[in-house]
Structures are given as C-alpha cells and as structure tokens.
Amino acid sequence: MAVSTHLQEFHGLPVFDFPDATTAVELPAADRTAWRIAIEAWDSKETWSEAFARFLAAVETTAVRALIVGVWGEGDEGSDTVVAELIAARESFPALRAIFLGDIIYEENEISWIHQCDVTPLLENYPRLEEFGVRGGEDLSFPPVTHQRLKSLTVETGGLGADVVRGIGASDFPDLETLDLWLGTSWYGATATVADLEPFLSGARLPKLTSLGLCNSEIQDQIAVAVAAAPVVAQLHTLDLSMGTLGDEGAEALLTGQPLTHLRKLDLHHHFIGPAMLARLTAALEPAGVVVDLTDAETEEDEEDSRFRRYTAVAE
C-alpha cells in the first residue's frame, strides 16, 4: 500500500533522509538525491522549521532538484508553516524541479488526518517546478492556478473535496503529462461527482496528458462509465482506475466503450470484478499488448447491506 512506506524514489532520484541534529552522517551530493525533511511524529526534539534551517545551512541548495516534506508537526497541525518556509527560501533553490508535500505513512498519521492548506502558492513561487505531489485532504485547498512547466501532479487523499477537484480542473497546466487523483470516500470528505471530473475527461485543457489516474473512489463504476466515452482516453498511454470499488458494471463499460487497445497499461488493481468479467478483460486487451493490472481482487463484505459491500484501498 502506498501509504505504508515512505517514498523510496522521487523525480527519478533515490530518497535520502536529512538526519536529525544528533546524527552525524556523510551527506550525498545535493543533486544526486531527493531530500526528505521530516521530524519525529511523536517525540521530536526540534520543529520542522528548525530542521529546515539546518538543511539550508548544511546542503548546497542551489543544486537541489527534489524535496520531500514528511511529518512537520502534531497530527492536527496544518502545512501552512511549511509552505511559507519553502516560499521564503525559493531563491535558494534555482534548480528545484519537484516537491512532495506530506510523505507521511499511516504509522505517523492516517491519511485523512493529515491537515494541509492552500498549496497553490508553491506552484506560483516555483515556476520551474515539473513535479508536484501532496498527500492529505483535510483543509486542502487548490484554487485555480496557472503553471507553464508542471508535468506531473499527484493528490493522494482518503476523501477529496469537490472544491479541490474543481480548482484543479479549472487550472491551466499546458505541459501536464501525468495526473493522479485519489478521490476517496464520502466518510472522509469526498464530495466530487463525475460531473466535476469533466475537465479531465474532455482533455481540452490538458493537451499533453498521457497518464490519467482517477483512483481510490467509492464511485469507481460511475467513473469507468464516464471514462469509457471520454475524449481524453484517445491521447493516453496509461489509464489508472485502481484502488476503488470497481465492479462488473464499470468493467463492462470499459469493454464496450471506446477502444482501449492503444493503451500501454490499464491499472485496475484492488477491484470487485467477477471471474467471468476478468477473463473478458484479459482476452480483449492483453493480446493487443496492453498490460492489465487485475491484482488484489476483493470480495464484497456484506451481501445484505450494499452500503458496506465494497471499500476503497485507502480511506482513513
């Protein structure tokens, strides 16, 4: 599961944990690693701001290409201070091309308890950024923004608000190639409908998009039905509808909708598709060279109450 381990690689670079103040280790070359800056989840001897100040003093920041922010404070503490610190230090990072905000695993804080803030000032203040990721949907804000160079955007949540989805959809990302949204469940704040996904499904505002993930959703069948007729699919090489409640209805829509044989990969892992439909998917797509991920087949837990039959891979 993506939230059970910290990132091991980011922006094509191995991750290095910047050590705490009591640990003496040889630091790697600034441009050869993605630097992860975090404090202890429960018993830190310093604040995240203090750790970041040590980082600025110890590392040749002008060569840093990727930054990862881990735990920054108590569980209910928002990321606004972190965002402000990164913006204040922007002149120190002329080579920075990637930021991941919230590389926090469930042992440190549940994904739906991670408090974020308006993260778009990072995009506004780092115009050369190419990759941006954020984990945690509580208090997350994403008003429409323009960024000319962003190639990859990832938002991982257990429940993504419709306002955030609409803000991303109304943003101008002419260079965006990869978009991954973990939509989540209504129990943890998911309010987006299929209609809110229209800007991504039409592809009109994302001319270079080749990889689309609309994942981890309790309305995964509805999304699959919409995707089956979505214009954007023709320009994709990767389609990811994994981690959600996808069943036979959504799979049938994918099979009978527009052709998917041009895809390199169709990711449907963690699903509720029956054996007969799984066989049909495999027979229809794999001979065309499509890699179809159908791992993590799940079964419906409660056959008496449909509200509790299916579950997303990541929620709390």
Side-chain angles (χ1 to χ4, degrees):
M1 192 64 62
V3 294
S4 63
T5 58
H6 291 125
L7 292 171
Q8 301 299 305
E9 182 179 278
F10 181 53
H11 200 58
L13 298 167
V15 175
F16 180 83
D17 285 308
F18 184 66
D20 62 35
T22 64
T23 304
V25 297
E26 183 177 354
L27 300 179
D31 63 344
R32 299 294 180 87
T33 189
W35 296 86
R36 183 173 180 271
I37 306 169
I39 61 174
E40 291 295 327
W42 311 113
D43 188 28
S44 180
K45 301 299 189 293
E46 63 182 346
T47 66
W48 190 90
S49 295
E50 290 169 338
F52 186 55
R54 286 193 300 104
F55 175 81
L56 293 176
V59 175
E60 181 52 63
T61 59
T62 57
V64 171
R65 297 160 55 196
L67 279 178
I68 299 168
V69 177
V71 172
W72 54 73
E74 298 293 332
D76 59 354
E77 184 177 336
S79 60
D80 48 318
T81 297
V82 174
V83 169
E85 294 272 5
L86 290 173
I87 291 172
R90 61 188 179 276
E91 298 301 327
S92 299
F93 294 102
L96 190 63
R97 297 294 181 268
I99 296 174
F100 191 96
L101 182 63
D103 182 24
I104 299 170
I105 62 175
Y106 70 84
E107 290 181 347
E108 297 167 329
N109 202 9
E110 299 287 358
I111 190 171
S112 293
W113 302 355
I114 300 171
H115 288 249
Q116 291 285 357
C117 66
D118 180 357
V119 297
T120 56
L122 287 173
L123 296 175
E124 294 169 336
N125 283 273
Y126 285 92
R128 296 185 180 89
L129 213 62
E130 296 176 356
E131 187 169 0
F132 183 59
V134 57
R135 180 178 297 162
E138 187 73 18
D139 300 325
L140 179 64
S141 178
F142 204 110
V145 65
T146 295
H147 198 288
Q148 298 297 327
R149 297 193 182 185
L150 195 68
K151 297 182 182 299
S152 176
L153 175 62
T154 299
V155 182
E156 300 176 352
T157 76
L160 191 57
D163 56 334
V164 176
V165 175
R166 293 170 190 153
I168 296 171
S171 294
D172 188 10
F173 298 130
D175 244 15
L176 198 70
E177 299 172 359
T178 299
L179 175 65
D180 287 302
L181 303 179
W182 293 13
L183 298 165
T185 76
S186 56
W187 288 90
Y188 292 101
T191 55
T193 65
V194 170
D196 295 318
L197 304 177
E198 191 279 332
F200 317 125
L201 299 177
S202 73
R205 300 179 65 90
L206 300 169
K208 294 187 178 181
L209 194 72
T210 56
S211 179
L212 175 62
L214 300 171
C215 311
N216 196 49
S217 176
E218 66 182 359
I219 58 169
Q220 206 74 60
D221 275 337
Q222 297 177 42
I223 292 171
V225 170
V227 165
V232 73
V233 172
Q235 70 190 55
L236 301 179
H237 62 61
T238 300
L239 176 61
D240 187 350
L241 302 178
S242 67
M243 301 171 60
T245 60
L246 186 70
D248 283 8
E249 178 187 349
E252 177 73 29
L254 293 174
L255 280 173
T256 58
Q258 64 187 302
L260 300 177
T261 51
H262 67 287
L263 293 174
R264 298 178 194 167
K265 183 174 183 179
L266 176 63
D267 191 347
L268 304 178
H269 82 270
H270 182 93
H271 60 82
F272 295 81
I273 303 170
M277 189 62 70
L278 290 176
R280 288 179 59 192
L281 281 167
T282 300
L285 297 174
E286 289 192 349
V290 182
V291 176
V292 186
D293 188 345
L294 295 169
T295 57
D296 298 335
E298 306 290 342
T299 56
E300 295 176 317
E301 288 190 328
D302 189 336
E303 296 184 0
E304 298 298 324
D305 191 337
S306 61
R307 294 176 301 168
F308 300 106
R309 286 182 178 176
R310 301 181 186 178
Y311 47 89
T312 60
V314 178
E316 185 177 27

